[in-house]
Amino acid sequence: MKEPGWSASAWAGQLALSCLLLLGVASADEAERRAAMIDEVVATQARYGDRPFTPETLAALGHTERHRFVPTEVRDAAYANRPLPIGHGQTISQPFIVALMTDLLRVGSGDRVLEVGTGSGYQAAVLAELDVTVFTLEIVEPLAVEARARLASLGYDRVTVRHGDGYYGWPGEGPFDAVIVTAAASYIPPPLVEQLRPGGRMVIPIGSRFHTQHLMLVEKSADGTPTVRQLLPVRFVPLTGGH
Ligand code: SAH
């Protein structure tokens, strides 16, 4: 005769169901936090920016699960509008800055973007949500390895991560429609300007570790002449490497 009570498979089923429910609650919670983060990003831009972020930029931020890009110890703060440590002395940028840099690039479907400073892979994922192909370089090998695995497991198959010094760009894959540098350089690396196509845009923080850095926008005209505009004071980790 069958024992009264639940069979092992019923228990397993119940357990699986509870886990699914828990996961559901967790991701609903995260979606809510993400929506609140976007409200804050929009409000910050309304205060300081000259125009609102595009709906595409905000949708890309809304689709990217920032909590999957930060270490578990700081996961509770994943949707706060501030930078967070990602190990190896590096940081993932504040969501507002990610939105701003993304928006400034004005990229869309089919574009090819070069990123210098993969870090966690979050900025690359946000760009990939705009249906662009991303080539991203990271100088700290364990970060490159981790970001590559993370992006692959999340299904970001249009992002290619390479370990290397981004100062020299990625000549084999250029020219790029846009270039984004997420570490502060003391001057604009000439190889990156070279690898930007005419009509393309680059955003890059310029300045030293102990002085004010500024976010710069480089626009390359149709005839290949670059013009540089200083946008706002920012704070980034330094661009390292042997140059
Ligand atoms: N975009 C990242 C944040 C990057 S923090 C994100 O979304 O998480 C800046 C990153 O630039 C760090 O990971 C740092 O190791 C990397 N970096 C610094 N100098 C570099 C260089 N010369 N080439 C490539 N990456 C560099």
Side-chain angles (χ1 to χ4, degrees), residues 71 85-91 119 138-144 146 209 237 240:
I86 54 169
H88 304 274
Q90 306 303 324
T91 54
E138 171 56 54
I139 204 163
V140 177
E141 190 166 19
L143 284 177
E146 255 176 62
R209 192 197 269 268
V237 296
T240 59

Side-chain angles (χ1 to χ4, degrees), residues 13 18 27 42 46 50-51 69 88 127 157 175 184 211 229 234-235:
S18 312
S27 62
V42 168
D50 52 355
R51 58 175 181 82
F69 293 84
H88 304 274
L127 287 167
D157 50 11
H211 294 96
R229 231 177 340 136
V234 284
R235 197 184 188 98

Side-chain angles (χ1 to χ4, degrees), residues 140-153:
V140 177
E141 190 166 19
L143 284 177
V145 170
E146 255 176 62
R148 185 183 296 126
R150 177 180 294 123
L151 288 160
S153 76

Side-chain angles (χ1 to χ4, degrees), residues 114 167-171 173-177 179 188-198 200 202 218 220 224-226:
L114 173 70
Y167 176 91
Y168 303 99
W170 196 321
E173 293 293 352
F176 299 97
D177 298 290
V179 176
I188 299 169
L192 299 184
V193 180
E194 257 158 53
Q195 289 167 41
L196 189 63
R197 75 155 167 82
M202 160 157 58
V218 182
K220 203 169 187 180
T225 314

Side-chain angles (χ1 to χ4, degrees), residues 40-177:
E40 211 177 321
V41 163
V42 168
T44 309
Q45 177 68 352
R47 263 200 308 279
Y48 302 109
D50 52 355
R51 58 175 181 82
F53 291 136
T54 65
E56 290 79 10
T57 297
L58 296 176
L61 233 64
H63 289 146
T64 314
E65 301 194 309
R66 196 169 189 259
H67 65 282
R68 301 199 187 274
F69 293 84
V70 300
T72 31
E73 312 85 78
V74 292
R75 202 158 274 190
D76 280 354
Y79 292 105
N81 189 22
R82 60 179 167 95
L84 292 170
I86 54 169
H88 304 274
Q90 306 303 324
T91 54
I92 177 174
S93 302
Q94 176 191 8
F96 170 71
I97 293 292
V98 173
L100 177 68
M101 292 175 86
T102 303
D103 204 79
L104 283 166
L105 293 180
R106 291 196 196 151
V107 287
S109 196
D111 283 341
R112 293 158 65 82
V113 179
L114 173 70
E115 181 190 31
V116 176
T118 315
S120 67
Y122 176 70
Q123 172 73 72
V126 170
L127 287 167
E129 291 287 352
L130 290 167
D131 201 25
V132 306
T133 304
V134 185
F135 299 88
T136 179
L137 289 157
E138 171 56 54
I139 204 163
V140 177
E141 190 166 19
L143 284 177
V145 170
E146 255 176 62
R148 185 183 296 126
R150 177 180 294 123
L151 288 160
S153 76
L154 295 173
Y156 287 104
D157 50 11
R158 294 183 66 182
V159 181
T160 310
V161 181
R162 183 191 270 184
H163 165 232
D165 187 346
Y167 176 91
Y168 303 99
W170 196 321
E173 293 293 352
F176 299 97
D177 298 290

Side-chain angles (χ1 to χ4, degrees), residues 187-242:
Y187 60 94
I188 299 169
L192 299 184
V193 180
E194 257 158 53
Q195 289 167 41
L196 189 63
R197 75 155 167 82
R201 293 158 75 87
M202 160 157 58
V203 279
I204 178 169
I206 296 291
S208 72
R209 192 197 269 268
F210 303 106
H211 294 96
T212 314
Q213 304 164 1
H214 283 96
L215 195 63
M216 314 295 256
L217 173 67
V218 182
E219 290 172 283
K220 203 169 187 180
S221 67
D223 70 5
T225 314
T227 54
V228 183
R229 231 177 340 136
Q230 179 174 306
L231 301 178
L232 75 164
V234 284
R235 197 184 188 98
F236 278 82
V237 296
L239 189 80
T240 59

